[in-house]
Every structure is written in C-alpha cells, then in structure tokens.
Amino acid sequence: MAISTSSAINVLFSEEEIARRVEVLAREICSDEPGELLVVVVLKGSFVFAADLIRALERVGASAQVDFVTLSSYGVGKKSTGTVTLTHDLVEDVKGRSILLVDDILESGRTMAFARKTLLERGADSVKTCLLLDKPANRKVDIEADYVGFSIGDEFVVGYGLDYAHRYRGLPFIGTLPAD
Ligand code: IMP
Ligand code: MG
C-alpha cells in the first residue's frame, strides 16, 4: 500500500464523533469504577486516545494516575507477527491497583491478552480493558474488551494515534487508506 496524503484518506470516524464517544466512555468507566484508577496506556497506538480519555475522566470526576508500556506485535507492515514483545516496561508497581488498560485496537486479541495476564501476574487487583476500536473479524484469542469506542470491519485504519508504517498518527480523525 502506498503512502497517501491525508486528504486522500476516507474518514471513518470524524473528530467530533470521536470526541462524543470518548465522553460517553468516560462516564461509563467512572460510574463502574468510582475508585482511583491506574490507567495503563499501551504505546504507541493509543497515546492520542488515552490523552483525550484521561481528560474526559477528569471532567466527569474520576482522577486517574497514568503509566505507559510499549508492546509490539506488528513490524512496519499491516500484519501482526503473532508474538507480543514488551519493549518498554511500566514504572509503577501495579500490586493491589485497579487498572484500566487502554489500547487502540483489539484485533487478534494477543496484545491485550498478554498485557492483562502480565498485570494480573504482577498482583493487580483488577484489570479492565478499554479499546478505541474493536476489529472482531480477526480475533485469535478468547478476549472481549470491557469498553469499546467503535467496532469496525476487517479494514486497516489510520489516524488518531494509529499508524501505517509510522505515518498518520497525527490525523485528528480515523480513516482508511485508499486501495492500491
Ligand atoms: P492484536 O494483538 O492483534 O489485537 O493487535 C492489536 C494491535 O495491532 C493494535 O494495538 C495496533 O497497534 C495494531 N493494529 C491492528 N489493526 C490495526 C489497524 O487497522 N491500523 C493500525 N494498527 C493496527
Ligand atoms: Mg498497539
């Protein structure tokens, strides 16, 4: 797939739609989890979503601490390699904490399953998952997200933190690349 200019990308979810959905998710999370959360942001793809989500959580009265982990299952292409590697670990101790694990897309489910298992093994009290997007068509592992922004079909999307070959993360909307 060629690199496209941002104007050639088909908008799937606009900036406004995303903003509205993030506010709704924050309200749901806040009413389910009124205590103090440790938001674990899975880099790199979810940093834009997480930045909006933690501010939405503050607006609805939930204060969250934040930490980051870098997990990788993709190379530079569009297919997952199937193996998840932890390339940058958390700083915080998760023992006894209520965790909200935030990632961009639930596709095969391997990344979330690996992250969830790792946090529980380290003694987290609870781990809820919050995904900007759910792509259920390619699921390989039995896992469902607790909170989902939008469900999508079997298509490759970019923008709002998501990349293709390290590009497009800064697009304010989520879209699909034109076919080759
Ligand atoms: P999983 O382990 O297969 O669930 O992988 C999910 C990860 O693959 C996400 O965190 C993304 O980084 C990446 N990914 C999956 N689908 C897409 C896509 O459509 N666009 C960009 N990245 C994607
Ligand atoms: Mg990712």
Side-chain angles (χ1 to χ4, degrees):
M1 181 163 293
I3 299 300
S4 311
T5 58
S6 59
S7 60
I9 290 166
N10 315 297
V11 178
L12 202 55
F13 303 107
S14 69
E15 211 174 329
E16 295 73 24
E17 279 175 280
I18 298 168
R20 280 196 298 273
R21 189 69 193 121
V22 170
E23 295 297 324
V24 172
L25 281 176
R27 280 199 293 274
E28 277 179 40
I29 294 165
C30 184
S31 74
D32 292 353
E33 302 279 335
E36 191 170 54
L37 285 170
L38 175 63
V39 173
V40 170
V41 181
V42 180
L43 297 174
K44 298 178 186 170
S46 69
F47 77 106
V48 175
F49 174 45
D52 284 343
L53 184 66
I54 60 165
R55 287 176 291 174
L57 284 169
E58 284 288 340
R59 279 194 287 276
V60 295
S63 59
Q65 295 179 13
V66 186
D67 201 357
F68 303 91
V69 66
T70 309
L71 298 176
S72 170
S73 67
Y74 270 57
V76 290
K78 297 201 301 183
K79 283 275 169 272
S80 169
T81 59
T83 318
V84 182
T85 42
L86 193 158
T87 52
H88 189 274
D89 207 344
L90 297 168
V91 172
E92 300 299 323
D93 183 1
V94 300
K95 213 181 180 89
R97 306 296 306 265
S98 302
I99 310 273
L100 183 71
L101 188 55
V102 175
D103 201 4
D104 52 1
I105 300 200
L106 188 65
E107 189 178 18
S108 72
R110 289 190 189 103
T111 306
M112 275 297 94
F114 174 88
R116 203 170 168 276
K117 180 168 169 277
T118 304
L119 293 168
L120 289 169
E121 280 171 1
R122 291 180 183 181
D125 193 42
S126 67
V127 180
K128 291 271 186 86
T129 54
C130 179
L131 281 296
L132 171 64
L133 299 167
D134 187 11
K135 206 195 270 192
N138 296 334
R139 197 79 91 246
K140 300 281 187 281
V141 172
D142 185 21
I143 184 167
E144 289 304 323
D146 295 296
Y147 305 98
V148 170
F150 305 97
S151 253
I152 61 170
D154 186 9
E155 52 198 341
F156 195 85
V157 296
V158 296
Y160 196 67
L162 290 138
D163 76 308
Y164 170 58
H166 306 301
R167 293 176 187 248
Y168 310 113
R169 290 195 200 274
L171 293 178
F173 55 86
I174 297 168
T176 52
L177 296 170
D180 294 318

